[in-house]
Amino acid sequence: MEEKVLIVDDEQSIVTLLQYNIEKSGFKTDIAYDGSEGLEKAVSGEFDLIILDLMLPGMEGTEVCKALRQKQIETPILMLTAKDDEFDKVLGLELGADDYLTKPFSPKEVVARIKAILRRTRKRENGEDQPFIKISDLLIYPQQYEATIKGDPLAFTRKEFELLHYLAKHKGKVLSRDQLLSAVWNYDFVGDTRIVDVHVSHLREKIEPDTKHPVYIKTIRGLGYKMEEPY
């Protein structure tokens, strides 16, 4: 069955460009031209991925993203923004978007991002990983997308959890930002490694006793990050 992408954008030229290239790559598409319509269509659950513009009439993309996650709808979201503003990108990620692209973008890059996100989604749904990973007080359950620390459940966005899981699977190994970007986001090209830093920061806020002196996720200056067993 063909995978289906919902495009939520109010710019006709962008919609036409996206729809043509996405369908050319073998996906089905549907369109919404404002946030309210996009939310209404997205809650149906019939889509494999949502492309969501940040600036929309009626209801902004961030609000649509937030509403979907509050409704426990986990359809992957690729957010589009015309602003080269780090705050907007970080806000989108914090609200549960899986990735973002800044306009203008190339159609090939959009398709590459879609395929990368869907590869990760399929891998997760197939439950390919071990039952759990234990690192001191941290327990990670890959198949359930759940984790606890000292028995208390933790809340993560999808990408935060996937990053935590990847770091944990490679405990004791230094991983560069590019390695993490490739493994967790499945980019086939050099991307914005700031995404990795933002997600590591969010993880530390949730699992570290003291974020200024992390004991689980260590920064290895000039190299990247390493998950360790706290002592």
Side-chain angles (χ1 to χ4, degrees):
M1 188 171 65
E2 286 181 305
E3 290 170 302
K4 194 169 183 181
V5 176
L6 174 63
I7 302 167
V8 188
D9 198 303
D10 63 323
E11 293 184 55
Q12 184 62 58
S13 59
I14 295 292
V15 170
T16 301
L17 180 70
L18 288 171
Q19 187 171 29
Y20 172 78
N21 284 278
I22 291 169
E23 291 184 353
K24 188 179 177 183
S25 299
F27 299 96
K28 288 185 177 180
T29 64
D30 195 3
I31 309 298
Y33 291 99
D34 62 58
S36 298
E37 182 187 10
L39 179 60
E40 183 179 348
K41 289 189 174 184
V43 297
S44 69
E46 65 176 293
F47 299 98
D48 298 284
L49 184 138
I50 301 165
I51 295 179
L52 180 63
D53 189 31
L54 181 70
M55 302 298 292
L56 291 166
M59 187 179 194
E60 291 192 353
T62 50
E63 291 302 311
V64 175
C65 183
K66 183 179 180 181
L68 288 172
R69 296 308 185 231
Q70 286 176 339
K71 293 175 183 292
Q72 304 299 311
I73 294 171
E74 295 300 322
T75 307
I77 294 173
L78 174 58
M79 189 162 278
L80 304 179
T81 173
K83 298 179 180 179
D84 190 18
D85 187 333
E86 185 176 297
F87 173 77
D88 289 329
K89 298 169 186 176
V90 172
L91 178 60
L93 295 171
E94 286 180 338
L95 292 173
D98 295 81
D99 202 355
Y100 69 85
L101 272 175
T102 302
K103 298 177 183 178
F105 47 76
S106 75
K108 287 184 179 180
E109 185 175 10
V110 174
V111 172
R113 297 283 184 104
I114 291 171
K115 290 180 178 178
I117 293 169
L118 291 176
R119 279 199 299 268
R120 292 298 304 170
T121 303
R122 286 191 290 268
K123 188 173 181 180
R124 183 191 79 240
E125 290 173 349
N126 289 338
E128 298 174 8
D129 300 301
Q130 57 185 297
F132 69 88
I133 299 172
K134 185 178 188 302
I135 302 176
S136 187
D137 295 323
L138 179 65
L139 274 173
I140 301 167
Y141 302 90
Q143 293 184 30
Q144 289 78 27
Y145 260 53
E146 295 175 356
T148 64
I149 192 154
K150 294 184 177 180
D152 295 325
L154 298 166
F156 298 104
T157 66
R158 182 185 292 107
K159 282 298 173 208
E160 286 171 1
F161 185 88
E162 289 173 356
L163 177 59
L164 177 68
H165 181 212
Y166 191 81
L167 286 164
K169 282 198 303 182
H170 297 85
K171 184 180 71 172
K173 181 179 179 182
V174 179
L175 301 167
S176 71
R177 289 171 176 81
D178 284 332
Q179 281 178 287
L180 292 169
L181 194 63
S182 175
V184 177
W185 282 264
N186 264 332
Y187 287 177
D188 299 322
F189 47 86
V190 177
D192 182 359
T193 56
R194 271 287 301 162
I195 298 174
V196 177
D197 296 332
V198 167
H199 281 68
V200 167
S201 176
H202 292 169
L203 288 180
R204 283 174 169 163
E205 289 172 3
K206 296 173 182 181
I207 70 172
E208 298 287 359
D210 181 357
T211 56
K212 293 182 179 179
H213 302 93
V215 293
Y216 284 99
I217 304 175
K218 296 289 187 69
T219 300
I220 310 302
R221 193 177 299 276
L223 295 174
Y225 296 104
K226 178 172 67 170
M227 175 75 85
E228 289 187 346
E229 188 91 30
Y231 294 104

